[in-house]
Amino acid sequence: MKKTAYFCMEFAIDQALKTYAGGLGFLAGSHFRAAKRLNQPLVGVSILWSYGYYDQVRDVNGDMEVKYIRKYYEFLEDLNFKFSIKINNRDVWVKVYKLEEDVFNTCPIYFLTTDIPENDDFGREISYRLYDANNLLHVAQEILLGKGGYIAIKELEKDVELFHMNEPHSLPLVFKMLSEHNLSYVKEHVVFTTHTPLPEGNEVQDLNFLNSMNFFEDVSLEVAKKLGGEPFNYTACALRVSKKANAVSKRHREVCEEMWRGLKDRCEIMAITNAQDRHYWQDSIIKEAAEKYDIDLLRERKLELKEILFEEVADQTGKIFKKNRLTVVWARRFVPYKRPYILLYDERKLRELIKKKKIQVIWAGKPHPADSKMIATFNYIVSKTRSLKGAAILTGYELKLSKMLKQGSDIWLNTPKLKHEASGTSGMTASMNASIHMSTLDGWHVEWAKMYPDDSFTIGDGVRDDDEYVANCIYSLLSDVSDLYDTEAWWIKACNCVNHIVEYFDAERMAKEYAEKLYK
């Protein structure tokens, strides 16, 4: 593969480094751990968020609260390298830090910050908060990542040959390149990954607004309009300026082909299905027990991991969970299409399942800090679980809690609306830890269910998708699964799940595929 610079708004590398919001960062982190083990020439470019995404805590009443706490990192290397770029017709100074390979055993990553004394309040705030809801700051962040990242790479990694945009946030790098080279040159040196399965999910901005922000560098409005249209569509532009592009699952590629069928002059879109790093996520004793089909050891270890998770549940909520009960977890970003509320669709049926079938339910996940509806949904679940014995919702869904939930659960529940999930990866890491995936037929689950239909549970028929139907399918499945739980057949199924998931959904396969298909 060619030496490649990988541009991404977020990286989930370690619990100590708060530079991520969710799945995009988790994916980037796994890619960089696997690429390091494979000795691939990959370098990362991102932003050093002074306040991270946000800290999800509880207020005086126990409801979710958004807190911004400044982060400090002594393990990042100060390169003593600064430069200025134009953002919103002003000079903004950029400072570069480096995460060296040996800190967390990843490929190196350059982190950019504008939170330095040389800048005014606007300039400093650009790198304060990941995915800032203020559109002016949001676009400024994209310019920092793309244009600032390109300048940093050209200075610090002179032998980089390819620039990979993981999502189109870093699109300004293309216009920086176009100010120096022609379009043919750019198309030979840029590749792109899309994670968006919906037309409305593709970022669109006013062309003149972007121009006023210096998004297009010295490139004319006429050229920008030709590439991205008016209003300006980021994904359409990325597909027109890239050598190759990829979707992140086979189902997602089909959706993308349908979505972009009428777009002229675009590159090909291939499928490279997402994966996660088993070396980071998988418990070693679970792995050993499953490989030997040592059911007693697997059960013993699973109960130990449940105890660790249930200590966290008790600490946060004052609820004592029982380790011999089927434990169902719904944990991921709180967004409407993922349907975090679905288990509570028929509260009477859920209460009956918990009481009669002896199951336990845990929710966790972060809404966007400006998404008042999803914060209200989170707090609605908080209120419901207070009077619902055997149900709890946890705050602080980051790498540490995510690993705890995946290792301590029995069922990993995934409920996206059909054709809304590009891939999803949380169920992969749960499956690596003997937590069986229960999902609607979307994203990566389509491939998993086809490969090994007995290693997971599929919700519904993959056609009907209304909430009432999906909820009733879940209640019926959980009722059946609770009867299977903790039998010999259950633990054999769990062993199969652990053993089979890593055959294809481990990050080393994914990293090799990127090297062979996208980075050549």
Side-chain angles (χ1 to χ4, degrees), residues 91-351:
D91 289 323
V92 175
W93 282 89
V94 181
K95 185 177 175 66
V96 185
Y97 288 85
K98 186 179 183 183
L99 178 68
E100 294 285 5
E101 297 176 66
D102 59 353
V103 179
F104 298 119
N105 294 314
T106 64
C107 290
I109 305 170
Y110 293 97
F111 287 98
L112 314 180
T113 181
T114 59
D115 187 11
I116 53 178
E118 289 86 344
N119 289 321
D120 60 15
D121 288 348
F122 169 78
R124 295 191 73 145
E125 200 171 351
I126 293 168
S127 62
Y128 272 7
R129 294 171 294 270
L130 173 59
Y131 302 134
D132 200 298
N134 180 312
N135 196 43
L136 196 75
L137 285 170
H138 169 71
V139 171
Q141 291 172 347
E142 294 171 333
I143 297 169
L144 171 61
L145 178 65
K147 192 193 303 187
Y150 177 78
I151 292 169
I153 286 296
K154 295 300 281 186
E155 179 65 30
L156 299 168
E157 296 281 349
K158 297 183 189 298
D159 54 347
V160 161
E161 296 180 77
L162 273 180
F163 296 85
H164 177 195
M165 298 186 292
N166 193 32
E167 283 286 58
H169 301 123
S170 58
L171 199 58
L173 84 84
V174 166
F175 292 97
K176 180 63 179 171
M177 291 176 75
L178 281 171
S179 70
E180 300 171 354
H181 307 280
N182 61 30
L183 184 58
S184 296
Y185 176 90
V186 173
K187 283 185 175 182
E188 279 301 308
H189 293 84
V190 173
V191 293
F192 168 56
T193 300
T194 175
H195 296 258
T196 306
L198 297 172
E200 59 267 28
N202 295 286
E203 185 169 356
V204 175
Q205 296 279 0
D206 180 81
L207 193 70
N208 290 306
F209 167 63
L210 292 181
N211 193 45
S212 71
M213 290 290 293
N214 307 108
F215 190 95
F216 301 124
E217 191 66 1
D218 298 326
V219 176
S220 71
L221 266 182
E222 184 183 355
V223 171
K225 182 178 177 180
K226 186 177 179 183
L227 292 172
E230 187 177 9
F232 184 83
N233 187 302
Y234 284 38
T235 306
C237 178
L239 290 170
R240 284 185 172 129
V241 298
S242 297
K243 182 180 183 180
K244 295 177 183 175
N246 74 285
V248 290
S249 71
K250 289 174 182 174
R251 165 65 66 89
H252 183 220
R253 181 186 178 274
E254 293 169 5
V255 172
C256 284
E257 284 292 344
E258 187 178 327
M259 192 191 317
W260 299 111
R261 185 183 295 128
L263 187 71
K264 294 179 180 178
D265 304 321
R266 70 166 173 89
C267 64
E268 66 168 312
I269 303 172
M270 68 186 82
I272 301 177
T273 300
N274 282 346
Q276 288 287 354
D277 181 23
R278 64 185 172 88
H279 294 274
Y280 178 84
W281 288 102
Q282 189 175 46
D283 178 75
S284 59
I285 299 174
I286 292 273
K287 176 179 180 289
E288 177 193 348
E291 286 175 348
K292 294 177 179 176
Y293 281 83
D294 187 336
I295 287 171
D296 292 335
L297 178 60
L298 180 62
R299 184 180 187 276
E300 179 187 340
R301 180 56 176 163
K302 195 67 184 180
L303 295 181
E304 288 172 357
L305 292 168
K306 289 173 94 168
E307 282 185 342
I308 294 168
L309 171 59
F310 295 166
E311 282 178 12
E312 181 68 20
V313 172
D315 184 38
Q316 283 202 32
T317 69
K319 289 172 176 273
I320 304 295
F321 276 29
K322 296 179 179 178
K323 64 183 180 180
N324 63 340
R325 292 193 173 185
L326 179 75
T327 301
V328 180
V329 167
W330 190 104
R332 54 192 42 81
R333 279 190 308 127
F334 262 62
V335 291
Y337 83 82
K338 291 178 184 284
R339 297 191 276 209
Y341 55 82
I342 196 73
L343 273 172
L344 287 161
Y345 182 85
D346 188 328
E347 195 179 328
R348 181 190 61 80
K349 287 184 179 178
L350 179 61
R351 286 181 180 274

